[in-house]
């Protein structure tokens, strides 16, 4: 039976490239995102390349609904072999001195609690097969904080810590867990569009610009992590 990858937060940038990259390797694709129309468009694009895909619209911040949602995907495809989690939402950065518990709560749901709950939901079937992979996509603020760019960073840092722990625990059981940390804006992504349109501001030292990376390159990095399984994190482009 062909393997299945579930792409949580599938969008026009990284999600689309990951779908095409894994699809070329024979994977079936489950596409999960908030808006049905872009998901349906991506399903058609993949079908044109001979890749089987199905759209599953969902609000990933609704953490309590995720186990039943994983069951729905599993029922459709017969199983989930890989999950990739890299949603793009609540992108606005904040000065650390202005953070509040209320502001962080929504970020915690989407960027920490949701991936934890998804892993809990999908792990039993991976353990039963002694095979599987958990891939997490993050920004570099998960690794190193910067002035005026807090908010999502501390939450992603907690998720990064979680993936590192999973990596060590699951590797002896045949399951891979790793994170792709991106140090650039991603072409064709919603985040890149928002930044270039001025929808949200990124504060950088004078004279510096944030590099831009192709999502196709990032999808190749994911595939390398998945196939090699020899490290918990890949930072790209190298910081």
């Amino acid at each position: 039976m062909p393997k299945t990858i579930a792409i949580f937060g599938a969008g026009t940038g990284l999600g689309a490239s990951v779908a095409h990259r894994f699809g070329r390797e024979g994977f079936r694709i489950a596409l999960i995102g908030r808006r049905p129309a872009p998901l349906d468009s991506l399903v058609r694009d993949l079908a044109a390349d001979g890749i089987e895909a199905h759209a599953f619209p969902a609000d990933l911040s609704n953490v309590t609904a995720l186990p039943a949602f994983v069951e729905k995907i599993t029922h459709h495809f017969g199983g989930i072999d890989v999950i990739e989690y890299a949603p793009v939402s609540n992108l606005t950065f904040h000065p650390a001195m202005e953070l509040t518990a209320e502001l962080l709560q929504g970020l915690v749901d989407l960027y920490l609690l949701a991936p934890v709950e998804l892993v809990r939901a999908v792990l039993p079937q991976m353990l039963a097969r002694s095979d599987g992979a958990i891939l997490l996509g993050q920004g570099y603020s998960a690794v190193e904080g910067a002035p005026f760019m807090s908010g999502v960073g501390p939450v992603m840092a907690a998720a990064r810590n979680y993936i590192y722990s999973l990596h060590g625990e699951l590797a002896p059981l045949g399951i891979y867990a790793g994170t792709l940390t991106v140090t650039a804006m991603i072409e064709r992504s919603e985040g890149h569009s928002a930044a270039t349109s001025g929808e949200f501001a990124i504060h950088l030292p004078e004279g510096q610009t944030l590099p831009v990376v192709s999502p196709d390159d990032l999808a190749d990095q994911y595939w390398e992590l998945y196939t090699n399984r020899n490290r918990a994190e890949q930072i790209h482009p190298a910081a």
Side-chain angles (χ1 to χ4, degrees):
M1 178 183 295
K3 291 185 175 183
T4 298
I5 180 172
I7 300 173
F8 292 90
T12 57
L14 181 57
S17 291
V18 172
H20 281 279
R21 182 66 181 88
F22 278 73
R24 292 198 302 271
E25 303 294 339
F27 276 74
R28 300 172 302 177
I29 315 296
L31 300 167
I32 303 95
R34 291 170 297 164
R35 295 172 296 161
L39 296 180
D40 291 340
S41 177
L42 183 51
V43 167
R44 292 190 294 270
D45 290 343
L46 292 165
D49 288 338
I51 298 169
E52 180 183 351
H54 189 81
F56 297 89
D59 177 6
L60 296 177
S61 65
N62 185 1
V63 176
T64 58
L66 294 180
F69 195 70
V70 166
E71 186 174 339
K72 180 179 180 181
I73 299 170
T74 300
H75 178 75
H76 181 88
F77 284 108
I80 299 173
D81 299 276
V82 180
I83 62 171
E84 187 266 339
Y85 191 88
V88 178
S89 186
N90 299 330
L91 282 172
T92 304
F93 293 100
H94 301 272
M97 61 183 180
E98 296 179 6
L99 288 183
T100 65
E102 181 181 6
L103 188 153
L104 285 174
Q105 185 58 59
L107 298 172
V108 169
D109 288 343
L110 183 63
Y111 291 105
L112 177 59
L113 300 185
V116 168
E117 199 66 12
L118 285 172
V119 170
R120 282 176 53 84
V122 79
L123 200 53
Q125 58 181 283
M126 292 184 177
L127 290 170
R129 293 191 304 266
S130 297
D131 188 32
I134 298 151
L135 305 173
L136 182 69
Q138 298 193 300
Y140 191 65
S141 60
V143 177
E144 183 175 344
F148 308 105
M149 294 184 66
S150 193
V152 70
V155 180
M156 283 187 170
R160 177 176 178 259
N161 178 284
Y162 168 67
I163 289 294
Y164 264 78
S165 296
L166 279 180
H167 178 80
E169 294 171 15
L170 295 179
L173 305 176
I175 301 166
Y176 173 74
T179 179
L180 175 62
T181 300
V182 183
T183 63
M185 296 299 297
I186 302 173
E187 288 178 347
R188 305 194 297 271
S189 70
E190 292 183 10
H192 185 233
S193 297
T196 54
S197 68
E199 184 178 334
F200 75 87
I202 298 177
H203 297 271
L204 295 170
E206 187 175 351
Q208 288 190 16
T209 59
L210 194 65
V212 178
V213 66
S214 164
D216 298 337
D217 291 342
L218 297 175
D220 287 337
Q221 297 290 322
Y222 263 141
W223 182 253
E224 182 182 342
L225 285 172
Y226 170 69
T227 54
N228 291 339
R229 303 184 174 214
N230 58 358
R231 58 192 182 281
E233 183 172 26
Q234 173 71 14
I235 298 177
H236 185 83

